[in-house]
Amino acid sequence: MQINHIIKIKEKTSKFLILIVLFISFYSCTKEASSFSETQVFRYNEHSNITSLDPVFAKDQRNIWAVNQLFNGLVQLDDSLHVQPDIAKNWAISEDGKTYKFTLRNDVEFHKHSLFGKDSTRNVTAHDFEYSFNRLLHKNVASPGGWVLQNVADFKAENDSLFTINLKQPFPPFLGLLAMKYCSVVPKEAITYFGNSFRANPIGTGPFKFKLWVENTKLVLRKNPLFYEKDIAGNSLPYLEAVAITFLPDKQSEFLQFIQGNLDFMKSLDASYKDDILNTNGTLKEKYVGKIKMETGAYLNTEYLGIYLDGENEHPTKSKLIRQAINYGFDRVKMIKFLRNGIGTPATSGFIPKGLPSFNNQKGYSYQPEKAAALVSEYIKVTGNENPEITITTNGNYLDLCEFIQRELQNIGLQTKVDVIPPSTLRQGKSSGKLPVFRASWIADYPDAENYVSLFYSKNFTPNGPNYTHFKNEKFDELYENSIKEVDVKKRYELYQQMDSIIIEEAPIVPLYYDEVIRFSQKNIQGLGINPIDLLNLKRVKKN
């Protein structure tokens, strides 16, 4: 009995000590935060919870945005998607396009941490990139970003400042791939010490450093005074003192917090409030014009209906006549105006979206109901199937778009059903070829049209690649294989455009619209910027 009593006292004492430690930690954070004003803190909400602050798991936008404030790689993209130096101050590419030599800056330091000595740090070297790339590829890490280096034969730190990468074959978009957050540099000491918990104890080189993360509640980042970048006037970046991220799951609540001025930034347009904030032509409602700012720009995301071509022969969409009829049979302009409040561009120029240099505004499908009806009639005449019927499978977020298409297609003589299933079931069905017609989107991982045309390369059939439609065309495959070897940018763009023309003609998909980035911010926010990959970059943001 006495032993049990002593154990209980020890347990209570331990719990009390833990509470004291938590209180001291909270007080320290509060005290430190009070050394600067609220106008130096940038606040935004992430309604999807962040799952990791480790760059090798920066797969989703929620993780990428936070990781981008904490880590850097060899190169980075500007807002026009041009590759710019980052930790690598310059690079050289061999004539055959297979060898890349990066010369590193000598003034980049990891965030201060006791791991490097008391309140100390150390410089980044090429050996850190060699370690980081090996970690990205390690099977025990199981990073979803290992594919970024799939075309790499080997890499090596020649010395502290020179890092060499050799490719198996030329791949011109490679520099853009290296700008992905997967390729960020991390210190070996931190990985060795923290292990799997590095996800919640990140140490990087970015403009902000980690301060506090209460999962599902709040994430706080503080200014990194050692950050190496400066503005054109020679002032140190970043301008902000801190970034505070909350995790309200309800988008309506997020909207209310933003309108009340409790958030500095809101990143999306949701159906729950789009009609309150925007007119049908995509402009701000008058009551908000003087209170908030709105920016829109091209987004590397094409929304589309995919058509599975390995399905049963009697299915109507096996016929190109029906696939083309669907493409001609609904009004994309009207759909964007009334269902998207003007946010987005009707996809009348193929699959490659606006925002990419290789986009050439070629002629795709426009609304031609008479032509669509004629194609359906021709299908009926050829096959004898007097009541062709299709089913479009979607999730709840896109139900309004699919019901609009359903009504339009009924008018051209094509019976259409809409099946609504959970997002996870939709992804699984799309990958396994169980859905004849499915709603999908493709967001570019890197700023090159190879990202889009690879969806139709026959060697990329799911589950081994992203070819969900199982489209196969010998001419297309030949053009694709030539394009990934072509070093001349202009010639490569021409090959991409030829491939896009084949997709338009054969119609394995129904492009709906090219998405747009839309950003709302308070009037006192400056320097936020906007870019076609919707990357949040806070190092040049000011809050006046």
Side-chain angles (χ1 to χ4, degrees), residues 188-221:
K188 182 179 180 180
E189 300 96 319
I191 305 300
T192 302
Y193 182 79
F194 289 112
N196 292 335
S197 66
F198 182 74
R199 63 175 287 279
N201 296 278
I203 299 173
T205 57
F208 298 92
K209 59 183 180 178
F210 175 74
K211 182 62 186 177
L212 173 73
W213 186 17
V214 181
E215 294 196 42
N216 305 326
T217 303
K218 193 167 190 176
L219 172 63
V220 179
L221 310 177

Side-chain angles (χ1 to χ4, degrees), residues 288-544:
Y288 295 119
V289 170
K291 296 179 180 179
I292 63 175
K293 293 191 291 187
M294 181 183 79
E295 286 184 280
T296 60
Y299 184 26
L300 299 189
N301 174 32
T302 300
E303 298 284 343
Y304 67 99
L305 300 180
I307 300 171
Y308 186 66
L309 300 179
D310 270 350
E312 298 175 1
N313 288 330
E314 63 269 19
H315 200 280
T317 49
K318 290 283 285 187
S319 169
K320 186 165 74 171
L321 295 170
I322 293 296
R323 299 198 301 270
Q324 290 183 335
I326 297 170
N327 270 288
Y328 284 121
F330 66 101
D331 191 339
R332 292 168 175 83
V333 175
K334 184 178 178 182
M335 180 179 72
I336 294 300
K337 181 177 181 180
F338 293 106
L339 299 182
R340 294 272 304 167
N341 289 71
I343 301 300
T345 303
T348 57
S349 302
F351 190 62
I352 297 174
K354 291 180 67 178
L356 279 174
S358 52
F359 178 81
N360 70 339
N361 205 31
Q362 62 183 310
K363 186 178 180 181
Y365 290 97
S366 56
Y367 181 46
Q368 300 184 48
E370 297 84 4
K371 188 170 186 176
L375 287 166
V376 173
S377 297
E378 186 178 350
Y379 168 81
I380 293 171
K381 183 178 179 181
V382 170
T383 64
N385 180 2
E386 295 184 359
N387 294 297
E389 182 180 291
I390 66 168
T391 298
I392 301 171
T393 306
T394 183
N395 61 41
N397 291 335
Y398 295 86
L399 178 59
D400 56 347
L401 296 179
C402 292
E403 287 182 337
F404 172 81
I405 295 170
Q406 176 189 33
R407 291 190 294 271
E408 297 269 276
L409 296 184
Q410 308 271 45
N411 295 332
I412 64 167
L414 184 60
Q415 296 302 308
T416 306
K417 294 181 179 179
V418 175
D419 187 15
V420 182
I421 60 178
S424 58
T425 309
L426 178 62
R427 286 193 296 269
Q428 185 178 6
K430 182 176 68 172
S431 299
S432 59
K434 294 180 179 178
L435 307 176
V437 184
F438 52 87
R439 194 224 58 88
S441 59
W442 191 256
I443 302 173
D445 290 313
Y446 49 94
D448 191 278
E450 189 276 336
N451 216 259
Y452 289 87
V453 295
S454 65
L455 266 70
F456 306 100
Y457 182 47
S458 65
K459 292 183 181 179
N460 282 342
F461 277 10
T462 49
N464 300 317
N467 188 340
Y468 298 105
T469 63
H470 281 208
F471 175 76
K472 185 173 183 179
N473 181 284
E474 288 185 7
K475 179 62 176 175
F476 184 96
D477 286 353
E478 179 186 346
L479 291 167
Y480 178 81
E481 288 168 1
N482 289 337
S483 72
I484 60 175
K485 299 173 186 176
E486 182 56 65
V487 178
D488 185 287
V489 174
K490 186 176 180 181
K491 290 180 181 178
R492 192 165 81 252
Y493 289 174
E494 289 173 355
L495 292 170
Y496 291 156
Q497 289 157 7
Q498 289 179 53
M499 284 183 271
D500 209 14
S501 295
I502 292 174
I503 296 305
I504 292 170
E505 171 61 26
E506 296 299 322
I509 58 162
V510 181
L512 303 179
Y513 61 92
Y514 312 121
D515 209 352
E516 286 186 344
V517 178
I518 181 167
R519 293 183 170 183
F520 301 97
S521 61
Q522 303 295 346
K523 284 285 188 179
N524 63 337
I525 299 298
Q526 293 182 338
L528 187 59
I530 198 164
N531 54 79
I533 55 173
D534 198 15
L535 182 65
L536 184 65
N537 195 334
L538 298 177
K539 61 188 175 186
R540 298 180 187 276
V541 170
K542 291 181 179 180
K543 188 175 175 184
N544 298 322

Side-chain angles (χ1 to χ4, degrees), residues 21 29 47 63 92 123 153 161 229 284 333 365 393 437 441 535-536:
V21 170
C29 288
H47 55 79
N63 290 1
N123 277 36
S161 60
E229 282 195 55
L284 273 175
V333 175
Y365 290 97
T393 306
V437 184
S441 59
L535 182 65
L536 184 65

